[in-house]
Amino acid sequence: MAWRGWALAGLLAVSATAQETSVFSKSSNDSLLWGPYRPNVYFGVRPRLPKSLTTGLMWARVEDFQSVQHNVRYTCEQHEGMAGYGWDAYDPRTGGVQTVHDKGNGIDIEMDFVKFDEGRGGWGARIKGTPRNDAEPGAGSEGGVQTMKTAVWFHAGIEGLGSLEVQDAEAGEELGFDSDVVINGQSQDLGEFKLTITESDRNSHPNHAHPAYQTKPLDHTFVHSLQVPEEALWQAKAILFSSMKTTVDAYVEEYTEQKMPPPWQTYTIQNRPTEGNMHLIQKVFEGSFEFDVLYTPSSAAKPATSEDLTQAIETVVESFDQKYLETLKPQAPFNDDKHLLFSKSLFSNLIGGIGYFHGDQLIDRSYAPEYEEENEGFWQETAEARARGAQKLEGPYELFTSIPSRPFFPRGFLWDEGFHLLPIVDWDPELCMQIVSSWFNTMDEDGWIAREQILGAEARSKVPVEFQVQYPHYANPPTLFMVLEALLAKVGAKQSSFSTTQQVVGDMGGNALANPDAVKAWLKQVYPLLQRNFEWYRRTQWGDLKSYDRPAYSSKEAYRWRGRSDRHILTSGLDDYPRAQPPHPGELHTDLISWMGMMASSIHHVADYIGETEDAGRYAKMTEAIKRNIDDLHWSKSDKTYCDATIDDYEDSVHVCHKGYISIFPFMTGLLGPDSPHLKDTLDLIANPDELWSPHGIRSLSKQDPLYGTDENYWRSPIWMNMNYLIVQSLYNIATQAGPQQGKARTMYAALRQNLVATVYQSWVETGFAWEQYNPETGAGQRTQHFTGWTSLVVRIMAMPGLEGSGGHDEL
């Protein structure tokens, strides 16, 4: 098979494709230019531009000397003492409201973010802290929570060429600033701008009798301007600690450890306002507090004020609420206030998790012969090849994407992203197209897209070293093609297997790019990239039919994931799901051929829509050949289900059947129609409580499988919302078409839809979070918390039609 020859072109990793799909500008007038595009931190605003202005927010309760260093909040972390956090309402074009329920620090912090004049007038953020009623009394809050001491730090940094300078720095040099702090800045892409951090006379600040207060009164704002290496700008928390350590050391020298100022005085930054590429701004509050951050470009018609910000926040929330009822309103039986609030929260956190990432990434382009995976024992050979460490940094790349989880997976994942975009396409098709374009812009000349986008040192800091390297022969489920199907449904081109919302898009948000003509123009532009990506999958992930006796309709359509180990196929996305043992180069994988069928069907529909008639006919034939081969190669008559295949000791092709998600992949990817002879058995498997059905959703592996719940138990029992979404969507499609299984599908659809919503909702109420997966026995959320990626598909499930009159599971 030698793919090394054609893959050499991949050395041109960042190619002209970045220009090929650049139909969307990122000018200063773009309403999507600015946003909280640093989703790995609780609040951090930046533009979708490399080498530009970045900001962030940190805070801590400062009432004792021991806990402060552990309680400074900055990056989103799991199990950090939060009672929940996230966006309550958010639209990337206008802004929204986020609340962090910081139980550990005894405070709730609301972070409002809005854009003025669709971004042309800049943006504003309001930071508002309210002590929690359940806050533990601290050493400095003898008067109750209303005297709680909280330090808040805002930071601004400029990457690359540009400048940031504190205005009227001399006014704050001695004691700090007793009014607004203004930073003047400029960069090549942004031009000149002002960043204003306001001071309100409604805030209270701590006072005390220690002499340190006289030279550094806490009713002033402190600014520490620094010049730091550009590659260290993202390490704001470490820079903060360094600045505070200098203050602490000076106090120790002046007053001794026995006569130190109180913690809320001690834990302050140095006050040195001047020029620099990074500025730390600190305020210390007593009780509730509020202040604003206002960004004003020189092109703004007039500078925005705090009064403008107040009005804009009200307008943004009202417009969000109205638009939500028009696009994603939960349908019966979820059409009540509690489910509407739940739905808004999950969707806002999905779309509020969109980020902009820029930097280099580690890629192994050694094209070692072991990577061809042709020999028995290939997984051991490839492990040895990877251990040679042939990876090199490539780039820079840039990516505009949503993410699976802010605390644990704050970066782009290829197979997650297609699921993320299904609710987003209902809200803002043009935003969805920009994200898809950004992903395809990372494609190399061969058609490969890295399955995990770990761009830059900040992103790598969250990933274990053994998982950082990307390999150009590794695939991932091509879920972005599901989004193309959903877009075609939005423009009324076809009935999509991945969309139940068939409204034709109009002029969304005043943006002309969100109309059917623009969608068609965009599809024409990305079409060559779709073809390149599709052909890459066919060249690199092919399955061996010729070496073994495997009768099939087509001699070409068979597929095998590359990159498997003894116990895992990480590239499949289903990690530890049971597969053939031992691994064999003659394996054929049911899930991959199903994804290829979905992919072929999608590109067929795109070709048809944009008038590529000859191509459309060719892709239609491929789709049919894949469907036929799925039955010929993967259907087990004895097990009455779809199975992987491998080669036994006698060189015969045999099925390897582990009933679970793999078994129903042809159904989930829309390749089983209402008249399929295997549809009944597939529905029976899903509906059987001794196999896959549970009161909380569909299990990943059958309860009857010997490996159920064993070892890591990642994909060996838990309920996953992305797979359950595909199941409920496919049930809906069968339930709304005439056929022998229509009634059964209708009943299953209604029951599963209710079970899934109840599972995610109940866990959200109890914990404050959406979770990565759910326990099939209890329904409890588990693994990664604040997993607002594909778990947010429950938003779409609630928005699906209720199909009134459907029975419950007892009627199955």
Side-chain angles (χ1 to χ4, degrees):
M1 134 194 154
W3 44 263
R4 284 175 288 166
W6 58 258
L8 289 177
L11 290 169
L12 301 172
V14 183
S15 66
T17 56
Q19 284 72 49
E20 290 176 35
T21 58
S22 58
V23 294
F24 308 108
S25 69
K26 290 186 287 186
S27 71
S28 59
N29 293 333
D30 182 5
S31 63
L32 292 171
L33 174 64
W34 285 97
Y37 294 146
R38 299 185 65 214
N40 60 308
V41 300
Y42 288 110
F43 188 73
V45 178
R46 69 160 299 145
R48 289 168 53 196
L49 297 168
K51 308 289 186 181
S52 192
L53 178 68
T54 65
T55 69
L57 185 75
M58 296 175 276
W59 70 91
R61 188 175 182 177
V62 284
E63 293 181 342
D64 66 74
F65 288 104
Q66 289 73 38
S67 65
V68 171
Q69 61 182 320
H70 304 295
N71 289 339
V72 174
R73 311 296 194 221
Y74 181 48
T75 54
C76 300
E77 303 292 345
Q78 291 207 99
H79 313 298
E80 198 178 38
M82 296 296 176
Y85 63 90
W87 293 94
D88 305 308
Y90 183 71
D91 183 337
R93 292 191 183 274
T94 57
V97 176
Q98 179 182 223
T99 307
V100 176
H101 302 283
D102 188 354
K103 187 174 182 179
N105 273 315
I107 196 163
D108 290 339
I109 297 188
E110 181 180 308
M111 306 160 186
D112 306 324
F113 171 78
V114 299
K115 302 177 186 182
F116 301 115
D117 191 20
E118 297 183 341
R120 290 183 291 270
W123 54 265
R126 174 160 294 163
I127 313 303
K128 184 177 180 180
T130 306
R132 293 173 58 88
N133 292 329
D134 60 359
E136 296 290 333
S141 54
E142 292 81 359
V145 295
Q146 295 311 313
T147 60
M148 179 188 296
K149 313 299 189 294
T150 305
V152 181
W153 301 272
F154 180 81
H155 73 83
I158 194 82
E159 303 165 331
L161 298 176
S163 65
L164 291 175
E165 183 176 1
V166 179
Q167 181 174 298
D168 299 325
E170 63 278 2
E173 282 180 350
E174 185 176 352
L175 300 177
F177 294 84
D178 60 1
S179 59
D180 296 352
V181 173
V182 179
I183 298 175
N184 295 317
Q186 67 85 25
S187 73
Q188 182 175 355
D189 291 319
L190 297 176
E192 296 182 351
F193 58 86
K194 286 183 182 295
L195 202 59
T196 303
I197 298 89
T198 68
E199 175 59 38
S200 171
D201 57 12
R202 295 188 297 274
N203 293 324
S204 295
H205 305 275
N207 202 338
H208 58 86
H210 194 283
Y213 186 90
Q214 301 306 314
T215 56
K216 202 174 189 182
L218 299 182
D219 58 353
H220 285 54
T221 301
F222 311 126
V223 179
H224 187 184
S225 305
L226 308 99
Q227 190 69 36
V228 301
E230 182 182 329
E231 61 271 16
L233 281 173
W234 63 273
Q235 298 178 346
K237 191 171 180 178
I239 294 170
L240 167 67
F241 282 179
S242 176
S243 179
M244 289 197 298
K245 184 178 185 302
T246 302
T247 301
V248 172
D249 290 345
Y251 281 152
V252 169
E253 183 176 349
E254 183 172 0
Y255 300 112
T256 75
E257 291 186 11
Q258 289 71 38
K259 297 181 180 180
M260 289 289 284
W264 46 95
Q265 179 80 49
T266 298
Y267 289 111
T268 53
I269 60 174
Q270 301 174 68
N271 185 53
R272 295 181 178 179
T274 181
E275 296 182 51
N277 65 346
M278 184 169 189
H279 300 264
L280 296 171
I281 299 99
Q282 178 173 2
K283 294 176 179 289
V284 184
F285 299 105
E286 185 172 83
S288 299
F289 61 84
E290 179 181 305
F291 68 94
D292 299 335
V293 179
L294 302 169
Y295 169 86
T296 306
S298 60
S299 58
K302 65 180 184 67
T305 65
S306 290
E307 291 73 22
D308 296 329
L309 180 57
T310 299
Q311 181 59 50
I313 293 168
E314 295 176 2
T315 301
V316 162
V317 173
E318 289 174 2
S319 65
F320 173 84
D321 288 343
Q322 180 179 348
K323 183 175 178 179
Y324 205 85
L325 294 177
E326 296 169 355
T327 55
L328 289 166
K329 180 181 178 181
Q331 302 300 307
F334 312 113
N335 49 340
D336 53 38
D337 290 343
K338 67 179 184 180
H339 283 99
L340 178 60
L341 179 67
F342 169 57
S343 181
K344 287 179 179 178
S345 174
L346 261 63
F347 176 75
S348 295
N349 282 289
L350 169 66
I351 204 167
I354 291 173
Y356 172 80
F357 304 91
H358 179 268
D360 49 17
Q361 65 177 328
L362 285 165
I363 300 176
D364 179 352
R365 293 192 189 271
S366 63
Y367 305 110
E370 294 92 336
Y371 291 158
E372 296 183 16
E373 301 187 9
E374 294 180 330
N375 304 321
E376 295 185 30
F378 66 86
W379 74 96
Q380 296 163 322
E381 296 173 350
T382 56
E384 292 171 0
R386 290 193 300 271
R388 290 197 288 266
Q391 66 270 13
K392 296 179 180 178
L393 285 171
E394 289 188 8
Y397 293 78
E398 63 177 325
L399 183 66
F400 186 48
T401 183
S402 49
I403 62 171
S405 168
R406 290 171 66 183
F408 205 72
F409 299 112
R411 53 193 177 276
F413 286 78
L414 179 57
W415 97 286
D416 294 63
E417 191 60 12
F419 290 107
H420 297 166
L421 293 178
L422 291 176
I424 294 174
V425 74
D426 292 330
W427 183 264
D428 190 333
E430 191 244 341
L431 167 62
C432 180
M433 291 187 288
Q434 289 201 25
I435 291 174
V436 172
S437 288
S438 185
W439 271 95
F440 278 114
N441 286 346
T442 70
M443 184 190 303
D444 71 13
E445 291 292 338
D446 303 319
W448 171 71
I449 299 174
R451 67 187 188 91
E452 191 171 346
Q453 300 283 329
I454 311 170
L455 308 184
E458 184 173 13
R460 285 192 290 276
S461 71
K462 299 285 285 189
V463 185
V465 173
E466 62 269 26
F467 296 116
Q468 291 182 9
V469 181
Q470 303 300 300
Y471 298 88
H473 59 292
Y474 283 6
N476 220 202
T479 59
L480 293 178
F481 284 74
M482 297 190 307
V483 183
L484 303 178
E485 291 276 279
L487 270 171
L488 290 174
K490 295 295 289 183
V491 297
K494 67 176 292 293
Q495 192 84 5
S496 171
S497 298
F498 303 100
S499 177
T500 53
T501 53
Q502 302 298 326
Q503 309 99 312
V504 175
V505 296
D507 188 8
M508 300 287 287
N511 196 311
L513 286 174
N515 61 54
D517 288 341
V519 172
K520 180 175 286 190
W522 175 77
L523 286 171
K524 287 182 177 180
Q525 198 163 39
V526 300
Y527 180 66
L529 300 181
L530 307 182
Q531 292 179 299
R532 187 193 303 175
N533 189 227
F534 179 62
E535 291 303 323
W536 177 87
Y537 275 87
R538 299 190 80 212
R539 287 194 304 261
T540 63
Q541 310 300 304
W542 62 278
D544 191 348
L545 291 182
K546 297 180 180 179
S547 300
Y548 310 101
D549 183 17
R550 284 172 158 165
Y553 172 82
S554 168
S555 61
K556 297 180 180 178
E557 304 299 341
Y559 296 93
R560 171 172 67 98
W561 294 109
R562 301 310 193 265
R564 81 160 288 185
S565 66
D566 184 26
R567 299 291 178 182
H568 297 85
I569 307 184
L570 298 181
T571 49
S572 75
L574 304 184
D575 297 19
D576 67 334
Y577 191 99
R579 304 282 186 162
Q581 290 295 337
H584 194 283
E587 286 178 46
L588 302 177
H589 296 133
T590 308
D591 51 334
L592 181 52
I593 193 173
S594 300
W595 285 122
M596 295 303 296
M598 180 278 296
M599 206 178 191
S601 176
S602 175
I603 201 168
H604 157 230
H605 295 138
V606 170
D608 184 60
Y609 181 62
I610 65 175
E612 296 287 346
T613 307
E614 184 175 338
D615 284 355
R618 180 165 58 91
Y619 291 123
K621 290 179 179 178
M622 288 183 188
T623 304
E624 180 61 24
I626 289 173
K627 288 181 179 180
R628 297 279 292 270
N629 273 22
I630 287 175
D631 284 351
D632 291 346
L633 297 170
H634 293 281
W635 181 258
S636 169
K637 294 180 181 178
S638 59
D639 293 282
K640 294 184 178 181
T641 193
Y642 292 101
C643 308
D644 286 346
T646 191
I647 303 302
D648 66 13
D649 293 339
Y650 303 99
E651 294 294 295
D652 292 329
S653 182
V654 295
H655 286 127
V656 178
C657 294
H658 292 280
K659 293 181 179 179
Y661 289 161
I662 293 294
S663 314
I664 57 176
F665 245 93
F667 174 71
M668 291 193 294
T669 49
L671 302 178
L672 291 192
D675 297 319
S676 168
H678 304 312
L679 179 59
K680 181 182 184 304
D681 288 327
T682 299
L683 295 183
D684 286 345
L685 173 61
I686 296 171
N688 188 342
D690 293 327
E691 300 271 14
L692 302 186
W693 189 278
S694 90
H696 312 292
I698 305 305
R699 299 179 176 93
S700 44
L701 190 64
S702 169
K703 285 181 70 174
Q704 304 304 310
D705 195 289
L707 297 178
Y708 180 80
T710 59
D711 296 336
E712 298 166 39
N713 193 24
Y714 199 44
W715 290 87
R716 294 188 176 189
S717 77
I719 293 162
W720 291 81
M721 283 302 138
N722 61 331
M723 297 289 97
N724 273 268
Y725 171 79
L726 293 181
I727 296 166
V728 78
Q729 177 66 67
S730 296
L731 287 171
Y732 174 83
N733 292 337
I734 299 300
T736 52
Q737 299 180 69
Q741 303 304 319
Q742 183 178 21
K744 184 180 184 69
R746 188 181 182 94
T747 302
M748 291 174 64
Y749 165 79
L752 180 57
R753 183 168 169 260
Q754 291 191 51
N755 289 349
L756 295 172
V757 173
T759 296
V760 182
Y761 175 76
Q762 187 61 37
S763 189
W764 178 75
V765 169
E766 292 174 356
T767 68
F769 294 105
W771 293 82
E772 182 180 12
Q773 55 180 218
Y774 293 84
N775 188 289
E777 312 308 325
T778 67
Q782 57 190 34
R783 297 275 183 171
T784 304
Q785 69 175 199
H786 208 285
F787 199 90
T788 50
W790 63 39
T791 297
S792 298
L793 284 165
V794 74
V795 167
R796 243 189 176 220
I797 293 172
M798 285 188 284
M800 288 179 175
L803 296 187
E804 295 298 325
S806 301
H809 188 255
D810 290 342
E811 297 182 19
L812 298 182

